[in-house]
Amino acid sequence: MVEPGWRPRLVALDIDGTLLRWVDGSGTPHEEVSPAVVAAIGRALDAGAHVVLSSGRSVHAMTPVAELLSLRGQETPSGDDRLWIVASNGAVLSRYAPLEVVHEETFDARDAVRAVLEQQPSALIAVEDRGGRGYHVSRPFPEGELDGELVVTDLDAMVAQPVSRVIVRDPEATAEEFVEMAGRLGLQGTDYVVGWTAWLDLTPVGVSKASGLAHVCADLGLEASDVLAIGDGRNDVEMLAWAGRGVAMGQAVQVVRDAADAVTGTVDDDGAAVEIDRWFA
């Protein structure tokens, strides 16, 4: 719980399910952000808060969202006023604009991928194209699930060098089955998080959105106690528990809600805007 008179100095925001919602029934399903959320973020920026996007997305899939939200950086002790972006669940830290990757955590994913495929041989594998604008994939993913250029690549070649993140996806499985599978694996030197569907992110051990944000705070001269974090997924658990105030979206599953200090409205009810306006209205 925060102290009376507390106000966030940094607002860390998940993207999918927190800022962006899926809209269907009007032609092609698409993602959109509501005017209320854009306006609330603008008020936080005008009040001098740092706003940081913190997502499982690749950094190149996050910069369009930064533009959509009219995000801008704030002056830092080093004089660099570019926006901070925490991508790939904390494994890749960038400044924007112009875009520059300033820190990346990598790991040897060969044993972890081999162990996953022994349990889930039908799974699809994807690795972010370091330095590119897309992914190397073992086989095509369902349309719309990955951003950027997708290049079908030999699996051994995909993980021959250290990587920042591996995506495991099986459209025929369920999220619950993936949670059970991950629990059985006992992976060494690798962390994991399961998404809303049968989607598993493998990351370097100890790396999460929280570790990425801690790096950002160190650069800005801030502490975890200065941070308001809002998210809805299992990959937000560490971030919500770490922040001075962690807030789960209304549609979040119970394990995410349990990690948070409070629960706001759903993404369809502009829950992120409601929470931000609590401090910056």
Side-chain angles (χ1 to χ4, degrees), residues 50 59 63 73-76 78-85 93-102 216 219-220:
H50 297 273
V59 65
T63 53
Q74 304 281 18
E75 188 67 28
T76 69
S78 65
D80 188 340
D81 62 355
R82 290 177 296 169
L83 175 71
W84 273 103
I85 293 176
L93 307 181
S94 300
R95 305 302 297 271
Y96 181 73
L99 181 62
E100 178 191 6
V101 174
V102 297
V216 174
D219 182 84
L220 298 176

Side-chain angles (χ1 to χ4, degrees), residues 112-275:
V113 169
R114 187 180 302 113
V116 167
L117 290 177
E118 287 176 357
Q119 296 275 340
Q120 203 78 22
S122 60
L124 310 172
I125 305 295
V127 171
E128 291 181 23
D129 181 7
R130 298 173 68 191
R133 301 186 66 86
Y135 295 85
H136 294 286
V137 296
S138 59
R139 301 194 310 279
F141 270 56
E143 185 175 357
E145 290 196 349
L146 293 177
D147 296 290
E149 182 181 7
L150 307 182
V151 180
V152 176
T153 305
D154 176 75
L155 182 61
D156 289 338
M158 286 168 55
V159 296
Q161 300 297 322
V163 298
S164 57
R165 179 175 64 137
V166 174
I167 298 170
V168 181
R169 176 77 168 102
D170 189 343
E172 302 303 318
T174 66
E176 290 72 24
E177 288 170 343
F178 261 41
V179 169
E180 293 175 4
M181 176 191 69
R184 293 194 302 266
L185 289 175
L187 299 173
Q188 298 296 315
T190 305
D191 278 347
Y192 67 88
V193 63
V194 178
W196 283 97
T197 60
W199 178 297
L200 177 72
D201 281 337
L202 301 175
T203 60
V205 67
V207 171
S208 67
K209 292 184 182 184
S211 67
L213 287 165
H215 187 105
V216 174
C217 282
D219 182 84
L220 298 176
L222 302 177
E223 304 288 341
S225 58
D226 296 313
V227 178
L228 165 65
I230 309 176
D232 76 314
R234 291 183 179 90
N235 61 339
D236 294 311
V237 165
E238 293 87 354
M239 176 178 76
L240 300 183
W242 167 86
R245 179 172 169 85
V247 177
M249 297 294 291
Q251 77 277 2
V253 296
Q254 193 61 46
V255 66
V256 181
R257 299 163 75 99
D258 289 344
D261 299 300
V263 179
T264 186
T266 67
V267 65
D268 291 324
D269 293 327
D270 297 329
V274 171
E275 175 60 27

